[in-house]
Amino acid sequence: MRFRHPDGSTVHLAYCTNVHPAETLDGVLAQLRDHCEPVRRRLGRDRLGIGLWLARNAAHALVTDPSALRALRTDLDRRGLEVVTLNGFPYEGFGAEEVKYRVYKPDWTDPERLDHTTALARLLAGLLPDDVTEGSISTLPLAWRTRRAESAHSALRTLGERLDALRELTGRSIRVGLEPEPGCLIETTGDAIAPLTAIAHDRIGICIDTCHLATSFEDPDTALDALTRAGVPVVKTQLSAALHAEHPHLPEVREALAAFDEPRFLHQTRTATAAGLRGTDDLGEALKGEALPDAAPWRAHFHVPLHAAPAAPLTSTLDVLKTALAGLVGGPRPLTHHLEVETYTWQALPSEQRPRARAQLADGIAAELALARDLLTDLGLKELP
């Protein structure tokens, strides 16, 4: 979906296909047929943006076979779909029964991460619509916190050189954004400023995930002001909402939270105290005894559907998303032109809230996009055909 900002520029809205994980090219093509096109039809749009997630095997098949890349581009066009952004964070196995810490491997200390991201940039240059010259890729924020970052910085400098060369070769500018996430070397937007200013490359910036922003109790306006002052570009923004518990000391709140403690993904949990942010790596750990202070609200890294907050006594951080979006695109010029709804946890929701069929999932994704569309038009952007 495309929107015209009052300054005349185009803002793109997509949804991320990591909600339909597939490891192979055939799986990606099936996603377009079985999920993405039905979502487009529900929205009544001739064209829908998708943020493709291309796992290692799918990316390898495309980068080694130009005819396969052309066929994918043709299939996208035929189904009324377009790609201006890729999710390059998960490498493989995102549909596994247990993902947890595996999602951070390989990290930016491993040459394979550089090679994979370079491949994604080459692919995105070939997938961009004819009238679009800039693409974006989100990637993990260097590594999980237990790793050292020195070689990661060197790898990102090399990536910047490769992106420059790709621009010279194709005329397409591909930018990569580090996505702060709780528990990683770069947990907050503030953590991102020093390494990104040290790298100092205009094709490498930040991807703001509004669920992660909220989980770390960051104020969106403060975060955006700091990034702007530091000259750190917002390459893309993932529109998502975290799980919020206002009174985590209450037994009924603990019981409600326990329904979201599931074995597939990490749900880092945080609370803001007078001494600073406190947290656990997973929700189950927070719920055990006194692992996390419970005198103040808790937030958990669980991407809840944008249009459907959890039932009381829980809620979501949709208000943080709204504030961030206003700061990003509600001003005289957009701070980013690429927005992506990223709720990948539909099948990790408590059992009674999970979609039971493809049609229900398509309905839910379309409802999320409709909400995002309404937020954008309320900010003065005009939806384009």
Side-chain angles (χ1 to χ4, degrees), residues 13-352:
L13 173 65
Y15 90 88
C16 186
T17 63
N18 63 356
V19 65
H20 325 295
E23 301 293 316
T24 66
L25 179 55
D26 285 344
V28 171
L29 294 171
Q31 289 174 350
L32 305 185
R33 179 192 67 228
D34 297 338
H35 300 287
C36 302
E37 187 175 6
V39 170
R40 177 183 66 76
R41 293 186 183 280
R42 279 164 171 75
L43 290 165
R45 305 296 303 160
D46 293 331
R47 174 174 53 190
L48 176 68
I50 57 171
L52 271 183
W53 173 59
L54 296 173
R56 177 191 63 171
N57 288 343
H60 180 75
L62 289 166
V63 83
T64 56
D65 184 355
S67 66
L69 182 61
R70 289 193 296 270
L72 173 59
R73 172 69 184 274
T74 298
D75 202 44
L76 287 165
D77 292 342
R78 181 167 64 88
R79 298 188 185 281
L81 306 170
E82 67 177 15
V83 176
V84 302
T85 188
L86 300 179
N87 187 328
F89 196 134
Y91 178 70
E92 63 183 349
F94 202 61
E97 290 185 4
E98 181 177 329
V99 178
K100 299 289 184 181
Y101 295 94
R102 291 172 52 191
V103 76
Y104 307 108
K105 297 291 185 69
D107 59 37
W108 277 99
T109 67
D110 187 329
E112 181 54 36
R113 175 60 67 171
L114 172 61
D115 291 343
H116 177 63
T117 308
T118 301
L120 292 180
R122 290 173 56 193
L123 295 173
L124 183 54
L127 291 174
L128 289 177
D130 291 340
D131 61 344
V132 175
T133 60
E134 183 174 292
S136 62
I137 300 171
S138 49
T139 189
L140 75 161
L142 301 185
W144 188 248
R145 66 178 181 272
T146 55
R147 304 281 282 179
R148 295 181 64 85
E150 289 82 357
S151 61
H153 295 165
S154 175
L156 285 168
R157 291 188 182 96
T158 300
L159 175 67
E161 295 169 0
R162 294 180 180 181
L163 296 176
D164 286 342
L166 185 65
R167 173 67 174 84
E168 290 297 318
L169 180 66
T170 67
R172 303 293 180 86
S173 176
I174 307 300
R175 300 197 299 166
V176 173
L178 304 183
E179 180 185 332
E181 177 165 318
C184 292
L185 285 175
I186 297 176
E187 173 157 341
T188 67
T189 57
D191 294 338
I193 290 175
L196 287 173
T197 52
I199 293 164
H201 197 289
D202 61 3
R203 297 192 207 284
I204 300 177
I206 194 170
C207 168
I208 295 176
D209 183 303
T210 57
C211 170
H212 304 173
L213 188 84
T215 300
S216 295
F217 287 85
E218 290 196 77
D219 174 70
D221 292 332
T222 302
L224 293 175
D225 287 347
L227 292 171
T228 299
R229 288 196 303 272
V232 173
V234 182
V235 170
K236 67 184 279 189
T237 295
Q238 289 171 326
L239 305 180
S240 54
L243 186 64
H244 180 95
E246 186 69 18
H247 302 292
H249 65 285
L250 297 176
E252 59 269 29
V253 175
R254 295 288 187 110
E255 181 180 357
L257 283 170
F260 288 84
D261 178 27
E262 53 83 39
R264 187 171 173 186
F265 301 109
L266 274 187
H267 301 296
Q268 302 93 315
T269 304
R270 300 288 184 267
T271 187
T273 73
L277 203 64
R278 292 279 302 279
T280 60
D281 284 356
D282 215 344
L283 179 57
E285 182 185 352
L287 291 169
K288 292 177 182 177
E290 299 178 357
L292 197 63
D294 60 7
W298 286 3
R299 289 177 180 173
H301 174 214
F302 194 117
H303 290 223
V304 296
L306 300 187
H307 68 292
L314 304 178
T315 187
S316 79
T317 59
L318 183 62
D319 284 346
V320 175
L321 183 159
K322 291 178 179 178
T323 301
L325 193 61
L328 287 160
V329 301
R333 62 176 185 84
L335 300 184
T336 186
H337 291 89
H338 291 176
L339 306 172
E340 178 183 70
V341 170
E342 198 214 10
T343 304
Y344 58 83
T345 44
W346 282 91
Q347 297 304 335
L349 290 166
S351 58
E352 69 277 6

Side-chain angles (χ1 to χ4, degrees), residues 318 321-322 325 370-380:
L318 183 62
L321 183 159
K322 291 178 179 178
L325 193 61
L371 182 148
R373 175 193 62 202
D374 292 346
L375 293 177
L376 290 172
T377 55
D378 287 347
L379 290 170

